[in-house]
C-alpha cells in the first residue's frame, strides 16, 4: 500500500467498526544452522495516531453474535489476528482482525498465520453494547414434520 493510499484511509470507531493498531513483534529463532523469523502479537493500541500497515479494522457482524457471546463469556476473551504466511523477513500483511473464534479457525488450515492476544476491556464493553443493541442471536432448530424421514408402511 502506498503512502498516499494509507493517508486516504481514515481511522474509524463507531457502532460496528474500530481501527486498532496491532503490536507485532518479530523474534529470530535459531535451530541448528537455520534462522527463522517468528511473529508474535504483543498487544493492541486502541487509539492509533495515524494509519499504518499494522492498523486493522475490527468489524462486528450481526450474524456472529453467538461467537462474540461465547468469546466474552470465556475466562480470557481474545482477539484473533490473521496474517498472510510470509517467507522472508518482511513485514507481514494483515488479512483480518476478528473476535469470532470460528472465523479465525477457518484460516488455520490455509497458508495463514493466526495469532491471538487478550481482548482489551474497552473492546469487551464495546462488543457488549453491540450485542445489547442487536439482541442475543439464539440458534433455533425447527421441528421436523411428523413422520418425516420414515418409510411409508403401505
Amino acid at each position: 500500500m502506498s503512502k498516499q493510499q494509507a493517508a486516504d484511509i481514515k481511522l474509524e470507531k463507531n457502532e460496528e467498526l474500530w481501527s486498532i493498531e496491532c503490536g507485532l513483534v518479530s523474534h529470530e529463532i535459531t535451530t541448528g544452522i537455520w534462522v527463522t523469523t517468528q511473529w508474535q502479537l504483543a498487544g493492541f493500541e486502541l487509539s492509533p495516531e495515524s494509519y499504518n500497515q499494522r492498523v486493522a479494522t475490527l468489524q462486528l457482524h450481526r450474524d456472529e453474535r453467538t461467537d462474540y457471546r461465547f468469546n466474552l463469556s470465556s475466562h480470557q476473551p481474545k482477539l484473533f489476528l490473521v496474517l498472510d504466511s510470509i517467507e522472508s523477513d518482511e513485514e507481514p500483511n494483515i488479512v483480518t482482525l476478528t473476535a469470532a473464534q470460528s472465523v479465525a479457525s477457518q484460516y488455520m488450515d490455509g497458508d495463514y498465520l493466526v495469532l491471538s492476544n487478550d481482548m482489551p476491556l474497552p473492546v469487551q464493553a464495546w462488543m457488549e453494547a453491540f450485542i445489547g443493541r442487536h439482541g442475543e442471536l439464539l440458534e433455533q432448530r425447527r421441528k421436523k414434520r411428523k413422520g418425516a424421514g420414515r418409510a411409508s408402511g403401505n
Side-chain angles (χ1 to χ4, degrees), residues 94-149:
I94 295 176
V95 176
T96 189
L97 178 65
T98 183
Q101 186 174 1
S102 63
V103 172
S105 68
Q106 293 173 355
Y107 288 94
M108 293 181 85
D109 292 336
D111 291 334
Y112 297 97
L113 176 62
V114 179
L115 303 174
S116 67
N117 203 328
D118 292 343
M119 184 186 302
L121 287 174
V123 176
Q124 292 179 35
W126 176 69
M127 285 178 57
E128 287 283 356
F130 178 84
I131 293 170
R133 275 190 302 278
H134 299 290
E136 298 282 340
L137 179 63
L138 301 174
E139 295 180 17
Q140 297 176 351
R141 294 185 181 202
R142 293 180 11 195
K143 288 186 176 181
K144 289 185 177 181
R145 291 186 335 267
K146 187 174 183 178

Side-chain angles (χ1 to χ4, degrees), residues 1-10 50-53:
M1 180 179 293
S2 71
K3 289 182 181 179
Q4 181 59 36
Q5 287 174 323
D8 291 342
I9 298 174
K10 67 177 195 172
S50 62
Y51 183 85
N52 61 53
Q53 69 186 65

Side-chain angles (χ1 to χ4, degrees), residues 52-132:
N52 61 53
Q53 69 186 65
R54 290 190 178 189
V55 173
T57 301
L58 177 60
Q59 182 174 5
L60 300 181
H61 300 277
R62 292 178 72 177
D63 59 341
E64 295 174 355
R65 287 174 286 172
T66 302
D67 291 337
Y68 302 151
R69 174 57 61 209
F70 177 75
N71 192 355
L72 289 171
S73 64
S74 69
H75 182 64
Q76 289 182 317
K78 303 279 186 190
L79 286 180
F80 303 96
L81 181 67
V82 179
L83 304 171
D84 269 339
S85 174
I86 34 182
E87 299 294 326
S88 63
D89 296 335
E90 65 188 42
E91 188 80 13
N93 293 325
I94 295 176
V95 176
T96 189
L97 178 65
T98 183
Q101 186 174 1
S102 63
V103 172
S105 68
Q106 293 173 355
Y107 288 94
M108 293 181 85
D109 292 336
D111 291 334
Y112 297 97
L113 176 62
V114 179
L115 303 174
S116 67
N117 203 328
D118 292 343
M119 184 186 302
L121 287 174
V123 176
Q124 292 179 35
W126 176 69
M127 285 178 57
E128 287 283 356
F130 178 84
I131 293 170

